[in-house]
Amino acid sequence: MVSLWGSKKDNGLGEDEESSARNDNTGESQPSHTTASHSHEPTERTRLLASPPGGYLDPDDPAVSPYNLWTVRALRYLSILFLIVTFLWWVLLLVSIFVSPPAMHSRGSGFFDFSYTTLTAGNLLIAVLFFSNPSKAQRIPALTIAVLLLVNMIIIVAVSRIRAEEGWVGITSVVWALLMAIWTVVTDRVVAWGKKEEEERLTGREETRRTLKEWLAVLLETILMVVLILVAVLLSATLILRARDASLPAPGEKYPVDGGKYEVHLYCHGKATKNPTVFLEGGESPVESGLVPFAKNAVANGTIDRFCYWDRPGLAFSDNAPSPFSASMAAVALSEALARAGEEGPWVLLSAGVGSVYSRVFAARQVLEVKGLMLVDPLQEDLLYRLAKPGRGFLLWARGVISPLGLDRLSGALFRGRTREDRVYGKSASQSGRYIKAKLQESLVADSLTKNDVVASKTILGREYPLVVVSSGIEVKRDDGWADGQKKASELSDKLLSWSVVRKAPHQVWETLEGRETMEQWLGELVKK
């Protein structure tokens, strides 16, 4: 009789004994646990967490993570690697603004490629920080940025002027930015898939709710991505303006200098005669917006027969030069451009403001061809330290960094009617990245290399050349240091023809009628002399 509480097995054997007996009878042996474990060694593809044996995990369990998948982990490591590479490229571009590494010089300002790389670093950093929390708040903005960058790349490659300015450095930067924008979209989508996969495997269903922490992360990510979209939109709009400005033809010719690293614009107007040609050197702004109209009027009046001018590197139609760039380097570039153009002089040099520094250094290189100097409210070498102040240099750098956003240039084009002429050499020329880069280069060496160049030029030139100085009465009255500089300028030569102080004239003396008349009178005397 079978007991009510006994085993259901007739033979009275326990379950383990029955199993053992069955195995003995059949002659089969169960594989050991050790053998099974050795046959499934973990690899890089093994999930970090195996499927739960007897149930599902809580959705809020930290073990429910897309990082359990090797694919997701690999994508994260690659994203970090790309971020490191981008950061190293960013540092190299930052250094190249101040000192051009070999083969890294671009004919443009260098601020656009720096901006593209900064945008790329921001995009990758956001992707890494919010890697395990995929959302459309990251994918849609990143896809929008990718589309805008594609437009930027097409414009840069299609417009020859911009393509030449950006060079391989700029093209590489925008292509890398585009690829990384696409990469962040792909990785976010893969992580979303991995998250769903692990939730279904470990919790039994896809988790559709988010915790407060996750919602805050999505909100922060959305705000940051909207900022990046705004940056990409401004970069695109500014690039379109650059393409528009590139269609403005230069009045003269552009000549390659310094082994073809960059080109400078040179133009001559009038008929060559036995009289010297007047050569114009602009001051703080491009020469086209100041001295050129004055010189054309002097030709029309018969005061002079012919004049030439150039745009210093970075100004108006000329490319930016490699850094550093001093006054003597500018004189070498000008001499090479004149030689390529077949212009030999003789010259009477007319310069204004800081341009007087470059004229004096150039005159020292062309002593036999220079027949006289006319300095209009010139900057004396003792005041070059003002250009080299660290605060001024930092502000120029900061302006250059944000210049690709085109905040002032876009507002001028949209609301103040600024034309391409205004942006290239007119009222808005100082807002361009190339102009800011040129002024930053000038600031970096003003009180060192350039000052040494000017001091040396005094010895080379001597004191036996005709000289005219025309000063701004407003500046002389306002600044004692400037007044002292004007006096020193008048003492550069023993053959001073005139030192005129135009009482109501600003720094740009030619902007007043009295200033123009004074300048034209003494310019005629210099040419005849």
Side-chain angles (χ1 to χ4, degrees):
M1 173 181 278
V2 179
S3 171
L4 180 64
W5 309 106
S7 172
K8 293 183 180 179
K9 305 296 181 182
D10 292 339
N11 56 9
L13 294 175
E15 184 177 351
D16 293 339
E17 294 174 343
E18 183 183 18
S19 175
S20 177
R22 187 183 302 113
N23 292 338
D24 291 341
N25 292 334
T26 60
E28 297 177 357
S29 61
Q30 294 289 338
S32 66
H33 174 71
T34 304
T35 304
S37 64
H38 281 299
S39 64
H40 299 286
E41 290 291 338
T43 68
E44 71 278 0
R45 296 175 179 266
T46 305
R47 298 178 188 270
L48 293 182
L49 187 66
S51 299
Y56 293 110
L57 299 178
D58 186 273
D60 295 327
D61 193 316
V64 183
S65 169
Y67 289 134
N68 295 333
L69 299 175
W70 76 271
T71 305
V72 174
R73 299 196 302 274
L75 289 179
R76 186 171 188 271
Y77 295 145
L78 284 175
S79 295
I80 294 174
L81 176 62
F82 291 152
L83 179 59
I84 293 173
V85 171
T86 302
F87 175 73
L88 294 176
W89 181 248
W90 183 88
V91 172
L92 185 58
L93 293 179
L94 176 62
V95 172
S96 67
I97 293 175
F98 303 95
V99 179
S100 300
M104 283 282 293
H105 168 66
S106 60
R107 296 182 178 184
S109 65
F111 291 123
F112 252 85
D113 44 24
F114 185 77
S115 295
Y116 286 129
T117 306
T118 303
L119 177 64
T120 306
N123 201 4
L124 285 173
L125 183 60
I126 292 172
V128 170
L129 290 177
F130 301 97
F131 194 84
S132 61
N133 192 30
S135 66
K136 290 183 179 180
Q138 198 279 335
R139 287 195 295 276
I140 295 177
L143 187 59
T144 304
I145 292 172
V147 172
L148 290 171
L149 288 173
L150 177 61
V151 173
N152 280 233
M153 184 187 71
I154 293 173
I155 293 175
I156 290 175
V157 174
V159 181
S160 59
R161 167 74 172 170
I162 299 179
R163 184 173 65 248
E165 288 182 356
E166 296 301 321
W168 75 268
V169 176
I171 295 174
T172 300
S173 298
V174 70
V175 170
W176 179 253
L178 172 61
L179 293 177
M180 290 302 98
I182 297 173
W183 170 263
T184 57
V185 175
V186 173
T187 54
D188 192 82
R189 188 68 189 89
V190 172
V191 174
W193 164 81
K195 189 172 184 291
K196 176 183 177 183
E197 173 96 354
E198 288 302 283
E199 286 172 350
E200 291 178 347
R201 186 175 68 88
L202 297 177
T203 68
R205 64 183 177 85
E206 179 184 0
E207 186 60 49
T208 57
R209 67 181 178 86
R210 291 182 186 269
T211 64
L212 177 60
K213 181 179 179 181
E214 289 175 330
W215 278 118
L216 290 176
V218 170
L219 176 61
L220 178 59
E221 184 179 20
T222 302
I223 294 173
L224 294 175
M225 292 303 295
V226 167
V227 172
L228 292 187
I229 288 178
L230 181 60
V231 170
V233 169
L234 291 175
L235 286 174
S236 303
T238 307
L239 195 61
I240 292 173
L241 269 187
R242 287 182 61 191
R244 168 65 179 161
D245 297 343
S247 65
L248 181 65
E253 297 292 332
K254 296 182 67 176
Y255 299 96
V257 294
D258 195 9
K261 293 179 182 177
Y262 62 101
E263 294 180 343
V264 295
H265 173 240
L266 179 66
Y267 174 70
C268 292
H269 175 80
K271 184 179 180 180
T273 63
K274 62 179 182 179
N275 292 326
T277 299
V278 176
F279 191 88
L280 310 179
E281 183 73 64
E284 290 71 22
S285 58
V287 66
E288 288 90 342
S289 63
L291 291 176
V292 169
F294 162 78
K296 286 184 176 180
N297 189 64
V299 171
N301 293 338
T303 306
I304 61 176
D305 298 320
R306 187 170 183 262
F307 71 88
C308 295
Y309 71 87
W310 80 317
D311 295 317
R312 288 198 302 275
L315 305 186
F317 297 99
S318 291
D319 300 332
N320 283 103
S323 297
F325 188 73
S326 65
S328 62
M329 296 175 184
V332 171
L334 175 56
S335 299
E336 184 177 356
L338 290 172
R340 289 183 179 276
E343 297 289 344
E344 299 179 350
W347 307 105
V348 167
L349 305 184
L350 169 58
S351 58
V354 70
S356 61
V357 170
Y358 294 91
S359 280
R360 290 168 58 189
V361 175
F362 173 74
R365 294 185 60 87
Q366 304 283 340
V367 176
L368 298 180
E369 297 297 327
V370 174
K371 303 304 179 181
L373 270 73
M374 183 174 185
L375 309 179
V376 181
D377 212 32
L379 175 68
Q380 190 66 13
E381 63 266 24
D382 294 342
L383 299 180
L384 281 171
Y385 74 91
R386 295 184 178 182
L387 300 182
K389 289 182 178 179
R392 180 177 182 271
F394 176 78
L395 288 177
L396 285 170
W397 175 81
R399 282 185 58 202
V401 168
I402 65 174
S403 64
L405 301 180
L407 298 175
D408 42 11
R409 303 185 79 190
L410 291 172
S411 62
L414 293 174
F415 306 115
R416 294 196 292 273
R418 296 289 187 258
T419 63
R420 55 182 182 171
E421 288 82 3
D422 292 327
R423 291 188 294 271
V424 173
Y425 58 78
K427 300 176 182 178
S428 302
S430 61
Q431 299 169 357
S432 72
R434 291 189 299 111
Y435 178 93
I436 296 171
K437 173 70 175 294
K439 291 301 174 181
L440 178 59
Q441 290 176 315
E442 189 176 80
S443 174
L444 292 174
V445 298
D447 204 30
S448 54
L449 298 179
T450 294
K451 186 175 182 178
N452 293 338
D453 295 338
V454 182
V455 172
S457 70
K458 291 174 65 176
T459 303
I460 298 172
L461 275 175
R463 301 181 59 85
E464 299 298 323
Y465 57 91
L467 173 67
V468 172
V469 178
V470 181
S471 303
S472 160
I474 294 177
E475 294 297 323
V476 167
K477 185 177 180 180
R478 183 183 63 85
D479 188 339
D480 292 338
W482 192 264
D484 184 60
Q486 301 305 297
K487 184 175 184 300
K488 290 182 178 179
S490 67
E491 297 170 351
L492 289 173
S493 173
D494 293 334
K495 293 185 177 181
L496 177 69
L497 299 184
S498 171
W499 175 26
S500 303
V501 179
V502 184
R503 290 184 303 168
K504 296 182 179 181
H507 179 56
Q508 290 78 18
V509 177
W510 55 88
E511 291 184 354
T512 66
L513 177 60
E514 183 184 359
R516 290 194 297 273
E517 290 176 346
T518 303
M519 288 174 58
E520 187 168 345
Q521 173 190 349
W522 288 108
L523 181 61
E525 292 293 327
L526 266 180
V527 171
K528 294 175 182 177
K529 197 79 175 179

